[in-house]
Amino acid sequence: MPKLCIALDTEYENALKLVKALRGKDITFKVGYKLFISHHRRITEPIKEEGFELFLDLKLHDIPSTVQNGVLSAKELGADYLTVHITSGRDALRRAVEVSDGLKLLGVSLLTSLEEEHLKDFGVCLSKEEYVLRLASLALECGITGLVCSGKELPLLKSRFNFFAVVPGVRLGQEEREDQRRVVSLEEAIRNGADMVVLGRSILRSQDPVKTVEDILPLLQTHP
Ligand code: C5P
């Protein structure tokens, strides 16, 4: 059954309120720059204390020793998932895996806000699919077991590799895709083989976020 991950890209008080309101539910909370930089343990500790899984979305991208230190610090905070940019390179990925233990490392290939035109900006002349496949293969070769990918590329990746698929850029209905480009519906993400769906604004901006989560959870249960 796919997991539900809520991206807590919101104000601190609001995030805390949501964490407490969802006590007892099978949810992973994703903490990114917004809350982590300003609140650090004041947000990670309540998530762990309430019994939820903690996903630190810090998208590490640095030299091997710095990335390895980042993984060690994330473990100290009790993180269950941590993102690392695959373009940090094979040495950084291997050093991260070396110390990861129970922490699940998730390789980021191409952000769901990027398209082929952005690859050209970087001087990369591959198609999106070729680029994502190449990075996925590198990450898995280095021992990374999870990949963050768009629901659009998921069928292709799942047909080639065995990995834990984390899918952001998911929308519930006819909402705005905002800065996201490669969005998919929740049903499409699940159908395409997501092991974890990440939803931020669709939940945070709904009239009643707790009710929205309660509506989503049974949809996930219908999939093995
Ligand atoms: O609000 P929305 O549902 O678009 O949020 C998606 C979340 O997933 C954000 O926190 C964003 O940083 C994250 N993410 C992403 N694309 C990736 C990796 C992470 O959108 N490739």
Side-chain angles (χ1 to χ4, degrees), residues 66-211:
T66 305
V67 168
Q68 188 173 58
N69 283 333
V71 176
L72 289 168
S73 297
K75 268 173 45 185
E76 266 175 46
L77 289 178
D80 299 284
Y81 302 89
L82 173 70
T83 42
V84 181
H85 272 288
I86 301 170
T87 47
S88 297
R90 66 174 71 247
D91 298 331
L93 298 178
R94 290 216 169 97
R95 294 280 293 274
V97 169
E98 232 172 73
V99 296
S100 61
D101 256 334
L103 167 62
K104 210 180 256 295
L105 292 172
L106 304 173
V108 178
S109 53
L110 186 64
L111 296 170
T112 40
S113 55
L114 301 184
E115 292 276 9
E116 233 137 80
E117 68 199 72
H118 299 97
L119 284 180
K120 289 208 185 88
D121 291 343
F122 307 149
V124 175
C125 295
L126 298 174
S127 71
K128 261 188 327 241
E129 290 74 20
E130 283 168 330
Y131 183 72
V132 169
L133 277 175
R134 189 173 284 205
L135 291 188
S137 156
L138 171 65
L140 298 171
E141 212 182 281
C142 294
I144 301 269
T145 51
L147 298 174
V148 180
C149 47
S150 143
K152 300 264 183 225
E153 279 113 41
L154 197 51
L156 176 67
L157 284 167
K158 281 271 171 167
S159 71
R160 303 277 183 98
F161 308 111
N162 183 20
F163 65 100
F164 183 85
V166 176
V167 180
V170 174
R171 292 292 175 264
L172 292 176
Q174 293 302 313
E175 310 151 80
E176 289 292 306
R177 60 178 173 82
E178 296 174 269
D179 56 347
Q180 296 283 22
R181 297 289 189 98
R182 290 148 43 238
V183 297
V184 291
S185 67
L186 180 64
E187 290 72 20
E188 194 179 354
I190 298 171
R191 201 175 339 112
N192 288 352
D195 297 296
M196 176 184 274
V197 287
V198 180
L199 284 121
R201 288 165 286 194
S202 305
I203 291 175
L204 300 170
R205 291 193 189 159
S206 71
Q207 295 274 359
D208 183 347
V210 174
K211 161 111 183 21

